[in-house]
């Protein structure tokens, strides 16, 4: 949208910087994140204990921003999430904070048997995906929000979400 060549972004995360040139809909997907560890690493019970781990991440990702916001400094960078998860699987780093849906898929498809997801809840670490439009496209934004409200109220949203994204 910034260059004016795109009408709608289907899955954008709102940030203060982006709000300067994108108008965002209400959130249509909320993707929760979790902590994935090497099987041999003791699972932390608190966020303070997570800070003692050697964490892998990708630069400038939401996981990286979360690590910085917590003041944790034991960080190793990798080019892609898949690379981080493979490093966790090998034991080259203790763990990674990543979206359940995406990281879980990489773990299953890559047969990363030594990567496990912890039970520790990161309630403040998630992506709320929204539609994004040109700031002057208020009528389109209204239609998108109205459509989201309709599919939620009709129950269609819940059925589609359960089928394609999961509980």
């Amino acid at each position: 949208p910034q260059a004016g060549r795109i009408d709608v972004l289907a899955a954008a995360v709102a940030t203060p910087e982006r709000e300067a040139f994108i108008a965002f809909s209400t959130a249509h997907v909320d993707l929760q994140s979790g902590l994935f560890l090497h099987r041999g690493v003791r699972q932390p019970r608190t966020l303070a204990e997570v800070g003692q781990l050697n964490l892998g991440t990708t630069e400038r990702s939401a996981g990286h921003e979360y690590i910085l916001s917590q003041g944790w400094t034991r960080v190793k960078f990798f080019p892609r999430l898949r690379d981080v998860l493979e490093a966790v699987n090998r034991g080259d780093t203790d763990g990674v904070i990543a979206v359940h849906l995406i990281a879980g898929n990489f773990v299953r498809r890559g047969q990363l048997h030594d990567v496990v997801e912890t039970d520790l809840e990161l309630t403040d670490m998630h992506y709320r995906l929204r539609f994004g439009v040109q700031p002057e496209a208020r009528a389109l934004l209204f239609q998108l929000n109205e459509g989201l409200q309709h599919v939620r109220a009709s129950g269609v949203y819940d059925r589609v979400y359960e089928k394609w994204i999961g509980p």
Side-chain angles (χ1 to χ4, degrees), residues 53-61 63-64 67-68 72-81 83-88 90-97:
L53 299 173
N54 295 309
L55 297 173
T57 191
T58 54
E59 280 191 277
R60 293 185 294 255
S61 65
H64 181 206
I67 289 167
L68 290 174
W72 301 333
T73 57
R74 301 172 83 176
V75 182
K76 184 175 181 182
F77 294 107
F78 294 85
R80 302 171 304 169
L81 176 58
D83 299 322
V84 182
L85 289 163
E86 289 171 352
V88 172
R90 291 189 306 270
D92 294 344
T93 191
D94 295 332
V96 60
I97 294 170

Side-chain angles (χ1 to χ4, degrees), residues 22-23 32 37 47 52-53 57 65 72-73 78 82 142 148 151 155 161 164:
I22 300 173
Q32 296 293 321
L37 295 177
L47 282 179
Q52 301 304 309
L53 299 173
T57 191
E65 294 297 323
W72 301 333
T73 57
F78 294 85
R82 181 178 316 196
F142 178 81
L148 285 170
V151 296
Y161 191 97
W164 295 103

Side-chain angles (χ1 to χ4, degrees), residues 11-166:
V13 176
T15 65
E17 298 80 20
R18 291 177 181 170
E19 288 176 350
F21 57 91
I22 300 173
F24 290 98
S25 71
T26 59
H28 58 78
V29 177
D30 190 353
L31 298 173
Q32 296 293 321
S33 294
L35 175 64
F36 293 79
L37 295 177
H38 183 270
R39 187 175 300 284
V41 174
R42 186 178 72 79
Q43 293 196 18
R45 294 183 307 267
T46 65
L47 282 179
E49 291 178 4
V50 175
Q52 301 304 309
L53 299 173
N54 295 309
L55 297 173
T57 191
T58 54
E59 280 191 277
R60 293 185 294 255
S61 65
H64 181 206
E65 294 297 323
Y66 186 79
I67 289 167
L68 290 174
S69 75
Q70 297 296 321
W72 301 333
T73 57
R74 301 172 83 176
V75 182
K76 184 175 181 182
F77 294 107
F78 294 85
R80 302 171 304 169
L81 176 58
R82 181 178 316 196
D83 299 322
V84 182
L85 289 163
E86 289 171 352
V88 172
N89 192 59
R90 291 189 306 270
D92 294 344
T93 191
D94 295 332
V96 60
I97 294 170
V99 172
H100 294 290
L101 180 69
I102 298 167
N105 186 44
F106 281 144
V107 168
R108 282 187 304 281
R109 288 181 152 204
Q111 298 182 11
L112 304 177
H113 301 295
D114 286 326
V115 177
V116 294
E117 187 172 6
T118 69
D119 294 332
L120 185 66
E121 288 192 36
L122 304 173
T123 56
D124 56 344
M125 178 55 195
H126 50 95
Y127 293 85
R128 285 192 180 101
L129 300 181
R130 305 164 187 271
F131 291 110
V133 302
Q134 299 290 332
E136 62 275 4
R138 294 292 173 188
L140 176 57
L141 184 61
F142 178 81
Q143 287 178 314
L144 291 167
N145 282 328
E146 192 174 58
L148 285 170
Q149 183 180 3
H150 175 74
V151 296
R152 281 196 173 106
S154 70
V156 170
Y157 178 87
D158 291 334
R159 290 192 301 277
V160 170
Y161 191 97
E162 285 295 319
K163 179 176 180 177
W164 295 103
I165 295 177

